Structure formats: structure tokens, C-alpha cells
Amino acid sequence: MSARNPLRLFGIVLLASLYGIVAWTKLAVAIDAFADLRDGDGAQHALILAHSMSGFLFFGALAAVSVARPVPVQRERRPIGWILPIVVMGLFLIVGRPTPTRSELWLVIPATLFAVVGTAATLVSLRRLGSNFGVVSDVRGFVQSGPYRRVRHPLYASELMTAFGLLLIVWSPLTVAAFILGTVAQIARARVEEQAVTSAFPEYREYAQRTPMLIPRIRPR
């Protein structure tokens, strides 16, 4: 076994473990909210339950797909292709790790909506991406179907939506700064990833010209 394989295995285990820890935290919050709801504490706990379960499914799905990945068509050799995903993961874990600290309904309702819709879109994107999913900018394939017909990075857009939903009920100067920096790093990560995909699939350049990056057009071409 080459020296690179143990290092790659360590990275996969570390990544899946971090996502798994956050998923477990969200599940614990959901269990508490369910207990409060069962005691008749009202609709607010139902929203927190839905919000926390969305976070659990979101981070749990990321943990699962971090493990089940085939050998890439083209491996990422550039340090930036490894650094940016780690930065994004760390910043969004800062947003996703805390338990809810805001309980006002005017925050919980939109937070739950963003989290539920973002998680559902994430699961749809992951299902369409399938074995092509990757954390670093390894190239495993080129997908143009499903949500990838509307935007080039539906998974990243969904992650941002979910992270914003999580932010609304845990916001603080630290989590807001982490979300803003995470968004900037996510966009830079998408650019670096596109460079790698274009080098392996030159037809990606034409696809990128006709397809927006994160926000779909209201009236597609």
C-alpha cells in the first residue's frame, strides 16, 4: 500500500466523523424537542423538531457520501483544491454545531423553512450526483441532468440555504462571520472545481456558459 492511501483514508474517516458528530448533535436537539412537543409545549417545538431533523439529515447525508466514493478520473494535485473544502467545512461546522439559541417564532419559522427546503434540495442533488460526489476537487464525472440542468452547483446552493436556516436560530457575531466567510470560500471552491472539471471534460466550458452557477434563471434559456 502506498503512503498516500493511509493519508487519504485518514482524511475520509476524519471528514465523515466531523459530519457525523454534528449530525448526532442535531438528532439530540430533535429528541429533546420531540419530548417537549409530547408534553404539549406548542408549535414552536414542532418547528425546532423539523429544523433539527433537517440538520440531522443534512449532515448525516454528507457523512455517508464522504465514505462511499469511487476512484476519481482525475485527482486534485493543487493545494488550493484541498485547502478550500477544509475551510468551507470548518466554517459551516461553526454555524451548524451550536444548539438553537433563538426561539422567537419570527426567526424559527423562516429558519425551519430554509433548513427543510435546503436539506431536501441537498438530498436530491446528492442522489443525482451519485458516485461523482467529492469533497476535494477530484474529478469523478460530469453531471448535467436533474438540478444540474438549472445551475452548475445545486449541491453548494442547497448547502448555503441549509446553513442560512441554521444560522437564523444560532446567530452571533461568530456564526454570522463564519457564514459570510464560508459563502465566499464556497464560491471560490466552486471556481477551483470548475477549472479541474474543464481540464478533464472540455465540453464543460460550453455548459458553464449557458448554466448559472448557484441561482437558477427565472426563465431558463
Side-chain angles (χ1 to χ4, degrees):
M1 179 179 294
S2 66
R4 184 181 302 167
N5 289 332
L7 181 60
R8 187 173 295 274
L9 178 61
F10 172 77
I12 292 174
V13 172
L14 177 62
L15 184 67
S17 299
L18 289 174
Y19 282 137
I21 290 171
V22 180
W24 178 258
T25 300
K26 296 300 176 184
L27 180 60
V29 174
I31 292 173
D32 290 340
F34 178 75
D36 293 335
L37 180 63
R38 189 176 54 184
D39 293 338
D41 282 351
Q44 187 169 3
H45 291 290
L47 292 172
I48 293 178
L49 173 62
H51 186 279
S52 300
M53 283 302 299
S54 297
F56 166 71
L57 292 173
F58 174 74
F59 287 104
L62 292 180
V65 297
S66 296
V67 175
R69 295 179 296 171
V71 176
V73 176
Q74 175 178 294
R75 293 193 182 279
E76 177 58 80
R77 307 294 185 185
R78 300 165 298 174
I80 192 68
W82 287 79
I83 293 172
L84 282 175
I86 295 173
V87 170
V88 170
M89 179 187 69
L91 290 170
F92 283 161
L93 285 178
I94 292 174
V95 177
R97 179 68 178 82
T99 55
T101 56
R102 309 286 174 170
S103 58
E104 301 90 339
L105 279 177
W106 65 274
L107 281 176
V108 174
I109 291 175
T112 302
L113 181 62
F114 274 105
V116 170
V117 173
T119 299
T122 296
L123 296 177
V124 170
S125 299
L126 284 173
R127 184 178 183 278
R128 178 62 61 175
L129 193 59
S131 60
N132 294 313
F133 171 81
V135 178
V136 300
S137 300
D138 290 337
V139 179
R140 289 179 168 81
F142 174 22
V143 179
Q144 302 181 62
S145 58
Y148 289 85
R149 296 177 58 189
R150 302 298 303 274
V151 292
R152 304 198 299 274
H153 299 279
L155 180 58
Y156 293 167
S158 303
E159 289 177 354
L160 289 172
M161 185 180 299
T162 302
F164 182 72
L166 297 173
L167 174 68
L168 287 178
I169 61 172
V170 299
W171 66 268
S172 67
L174 175 62
T175 55
V176 170
F179 177 78
I180 293 173
L181 292 175
T183 301
V184 173
Q186 188 79 295
I187 294 173
R189 174 189 184 185
R191 296 291 188 189
V192 170
E193 182 180 293
E194 289 182 346
Q195 294 172 0
V197 177
T198 302
S199 66
F201 299 93
E203 61 270 26
Y204 186 89
R205 184 173 287 105
E206 190 274 331
Y207 163 76
Q209 290 176 349
R210 71 172 188 270
T211 310
M213 174 180 279
L214 295 172
I215 302 175
R217 296 187 182 94
I218 297 178
R219 297 182 63 183
R221 292 180 181 178

